[in-house]
Amino acid sequence: MGKLTIVVDNYPHDSRLKRDWGFSAYIEDRGIKLLFDLGNRSEIFMHNVKALGIDLSMIDCLVISHPDYDHVGGLDEFLVKNKKAGVFVPEGFDVGMIDKMEKSGHEVFVSKEPMDVCGRFKITGPVTPSTRPEHSLFFEGEGGVWIVAGCSHPKPWNIINKVKEIAGKTPYVYIGGYHFFRMFDDELQQAVRKVRDTEIEKVAPCHCTGEEGRRLFKEVFDKDYIEVGVGSVLEF
Ligand SMILES: [Fe+2]
Ligand SMILES: [Fe+2]
């Protein structure tokens, strides 16, 4: 059985870990170890990595959703500790960061369209239109297709629909930042409704979803709302 652990997040869960405005998740399945995003402040990322007993040197693939500071904070530490991971970034990613990763000996794959990651996972390729170049991770798991997203700058419903198109079925669960933290009232209600209308079964909103957004998701999805925060473990 696969396991997803949230390494960095805005919301609390495991008291041994520190919260931060940012996101990172560690996924392990069938001996494959994948890291999705790298949090914000590197000292918090490293604190949580150690507390969770994650060995960065053993990670096979690093997927970076997009180049915002709250998703790449642990990059320098990662490059020092890990010498073997293939790195997956979306087209339009920061060229300076790509250069740095290549100079440290990492193979960098730039996604223009959907791609396989480590033979077990997939990425969407950049989803458009979007204010930032961003791709999301997805894979088959318990219940159906699981999606892991960083900030959802292309909007969660567009990401869900892209995965639906690639996978040929409605995804099961969407974990990560929904980027609703600046939305209130009607705009927020409409946004949650648009996610509901995709017919995705479960939601696990964290990071930049916002308090109000999480509250509304909980109300609308009821038992299909999964409350997650830093250190949450989801088995698939
Ligand atoms: Fe973010
Ligand atoms: Fe972002």
Side-chain angles (χ1 to χ4, degrees):
M1 185 172 264
K3 199 170 109 171
L4 178 152
T5 307
I6 297 181
V7 180
V8 175
D9 191 52
N10 302 41
Y11 294 97
H13 176 75
D14 182 333
S15 59
R16 295 173 302 157
L17 307 176
K18 293 181 182 171
R19 280 189 287 156
D20 201 4
W21 178 285
F23 189 70
S24 173
Y26 173 70
I27 302 171
E28 211 179 331
D29 189 36
R30 302 173 199 169
I32 300 162
K33 297 173 172 67
L34 181 147
L35 187 68
F36 180 89
D37 287 351
L38 298 145
N40 182 348
R41 280 170 283 182
S42 65
E43 62 276 18
I44 293 182
F45 171 73
M46 287 310 293
H47 171 89
N48 292 356
V49 159
K50 276 180 201 139
L52 289 163
I54 297 167
D55 183 353
L56 291 180
S57 74
M58 296 303 287
I59 285 171
D60 304 296
C61 357
L62 169 66
V63 174
I64 309 180
S65 65
H66 68 302
D68 281 352
Y69 70 97
D70 51 338
H71 299 259
V72 297
L75 182 61
D76 288 350
E77 288 278 7
F78 181 86
L79 296 178
V80 169
K81 300 249 171 2
N82 182 292
K83 290 295 166 197
K84 68 168 190 175
V87 186
F88 296 79
V89 299
E91 185 175 40
F93 197 81
D94 185 282
V95 287
M97 271 187 250
I98 292 178
D99 192 48
K100 192 198 274 185
M101 296 187 280
E102 286 179 339
K103 281 197 174 116
S104 88
H106 292 263
E107 194 169 358
V108 180
F109 302 90
V110 179
S111 78
K112 294 187 177 69
E113 47 193 57
M115 276 177 96
D116 281 340
V117 177
C118 283
R120 167 67 181 98
F121 305 95
K122 283 188 167 64
I123 42 177
T124 56
V127 177
T128 52
S130 178
T131 53
R132 312 282 293 128
E134 181 170 349
H135 59 192
S136 303
L137 183 78
F138 66 101
F139 50 91
E140 276 289 340
E142 178 83 30
V145 178
W146 289 46
I147 302 174
V148 183
C151 266
S152 305
H153 292 289
K155 309 293 182 197
W157 48 88
N158 291 326
I159 296 169
I160 294 168
N161 287 332
K162 176 87 182 251
V163 173
K164 195 181 208 169
E165 195 184 299
I166 307 164
K169 59 181 175 181
T170 304
Y172 172 66
V173 61
Y174 192 101
I175 304 147
Y178 284 55
H179 215 68
F180 290 175
F181 72 103
R182 287 199 195 96
M183 294 180 189
F184 298 95
D185 308 324
D186 288 358
E187 192 190 9
L188 180 61
Q189 291 202 353
Q190 270 179 30
V192 171
R193 178 54 52 194
K194 278 184 164 175
V195 173
R196 187 66 164 164
D197 287 347
T198 65
E199 294 181 333
I200 191 145
E201 206 169 317
K202 291 180 189 285
V203 291
C206 52
H207 177 39
C208 53
T209 305
E211 292 291 347
E212 236 344 71
R214 295 228 305 177
R215 196 195 56 73
L216 201 58
F217 269 119
K218 195 173 183 172
E219 197 180 296
V220 170
F221 279 80
D222 190 29
K223 63 169 185 22
D224 292 321
Y225 168 85
I226 307 169
E227 182 137 327
V228 291
V230 66
S232 290
V233 175
L234 301 173
E235 290 188 333
F236 60 86

